[in-house]
Amino acid sequence: MQLQFSFIIPVYNRPDEIEELLQSFEGLQGHMPFEIVIVEDGSTIASKEVVNAYKDKLEISYFFKENSGPGDSRNFGMQNAKGNYFIILDSDCILPKNYLVEVVKSLEKNYVDCFGGPDAAHSSFTNLQKAINFSMTSFITTGGIRGNKKSVDTFQPRSFNMGLSKEAFIASKGFGRIHPGEDPDLSIRLWNLGFKTKLIPEAFVYHKRRISWSKFYTQVHKFGLVRPILNTWHPSTKKMTYWFPTIFCIGFLMSVLLIFFNFKWALIGYMLYFVVAVVLALITTRSISVSILSLVAIIIQFFGYGYGFLKSTVVVSVLNKKPEIYFPKLFFKQK
């Protein structure tokens, strides 16, 4: 099959991000033809002028639609795309020059209907962005689920950097209404339909999260809320590892309380973990400032996700509440 790529990019009030992303498209290596589909998801700060500035340089289609969330916007983009293989990106990503070359090389060697790629930090990122990137991608924090080479053939692609064939999109009907969590939900449904997924480690993107500590906590808290819902929808995908952040946080709080009973070894164990995390961050980022900020990011990530996971587990699995009613902000209304 001759691959014809369509890049699908939903955007909401981020014309500056679209500018940087389109600049990176200009530098892509290789001679593979591709189109770019920009879907403006009801923005009040539109990207149309930025897109128009690149129409003579790149093949771009621009659509403006009522706000209905990133999943529905990606579906809209794929419905209006010309290609037979879609590559979905977040607007806050930047492509390295060899991105498409690596995608084509991998798919020609071992074709799958859905792939994902890792995210990385660019040298131009702020210390905060680099610290959060380390926390979100390091094996010591997430187990490498966003790009672990050991799970290449069982990888759940993330929609900031995800490929999907037109055939798989039609069969699965694309993304659901939940957000976040729409991407692992899609991966699991694709597996159930007989489609294969994989990680392409070389097809990474620079994920330039424009984020603060408070926004980061909100993001990881939502990740924690979503996972028990997905476990309910797809029971076969339950893993004990999803409990680790919650157990980590409860254990940490207990170790602090045990100090008052003159038992300090538990807290010392946690301190050793934090020291190892800072050292790994220092080796990875080569920055003392970033390594210290990485420790803050790790603590926020664990407590945000862990608390969200515990709360959602109680609500969904113990109290048997409907998540759409109890957590309405996790679901976009069907248009």
Side-chain angles (χ1 to χ4, degrees), residues 160-330:
F160 64 83
N161 179 15
M162 179 181 190
L164 183 68
S165 73
K166 185 174 183 178
E167 179 184 356
F169 168 64
I170 293 173
S172 65
K173 299 181 181 179
F175 295 95
R177 295 188 301 112
I178 194 169
H179 177 73
E182 69 273 28
D183 28 19
D185 172 60
L186 175 57
S187 295
I188 297 165
R189 288 189 286 111
L190 287 172
W191 293 341
N192 292 338
L193 289 168
F195 293 101
K196 293 183 178 180
T197 65
K198 73 172 180 178
L199 168 70
I200 304 179
E202 299 79 14
F204 66 89
V205 298
Y206 297 115
H207 200 177
K208 195 170 185 176
R209 302 176 183 88
R210 285 171 170 80
I211 202 165
S212 63
W213 289 129
S214 61
K215 290 180 179 178
F216 181 52
Y217 176 84
T218 299
Q219 181 186 53
V220 294
H221 182 67
K222 285 184 176 180
F223 289 161
L225 291 174
V226 160
R227 181 52 66 177
I229 298 172
L230 295 179
N231 288 345
T232 301
W233 291 354
H234 310 288
S236 63
T237 64
K238 289 182 180 180
K239 295 180 181 178
M240 185 61 193
T241 51
Y242 295 141
W243 276 97
F244 283 0
T246 303
I247 295 171
F248 180 95
C249 296
I250 293 174
F252 178 75
L253 294 175
M254 290 181 63
S255 70
V256 173
L257 290 175
L258 288 172
I259 290 293
F260 296 100
F261 297 92
N262 202 30
F263 186 84
K264 60 180 86 170
W265 292 108
L267 187 59
I268 290 174
Y270 276 93
M271 293 302 105
L272 288 174
Y273 172 84
F274 292 142
V275 169
V276 171
V278 170
V279 170
L280 287 177
L282 182 59
I283 294 172
T284 303
T285 66
R286 299 180 182 180
S287 168
I288 295 176
S289 299
V290 174
S291 61
I292 294 173
L293 289 173
S294 295
L295 179 57
V296 178
I298 290 170
I299 293 172
I300 291 175
Q301 181 174 317
F302 278 7
F303 275 86
Y305 183 99
Y307 173 56
F309 184 89
L310 180 61
K311 179 168 65 175
S312 184
T313 298
V314 171
V315 169
V316 175
S317 300
V318 179
L319 301 179
N320 292 318
K321 301 288 186 179
K322 289 187 177 181
E324 293 89 342
I325 296 175
Y326 205 89
F327 301 117
K329 292 184 178 180
L330 297 179

Side-chain angles (χ1 to χ4, degrees), residues 11 13-21 46-47 50 91 210:
V11 58
N13 289 343
R14 300 288 180 87
D16 52 337
E17 291 181 351
I18 290 298
E19 174 85 38
E20 288 184 296
L21 179 52
S47 304
V50 173
S91 62
R210 285 171 170 80

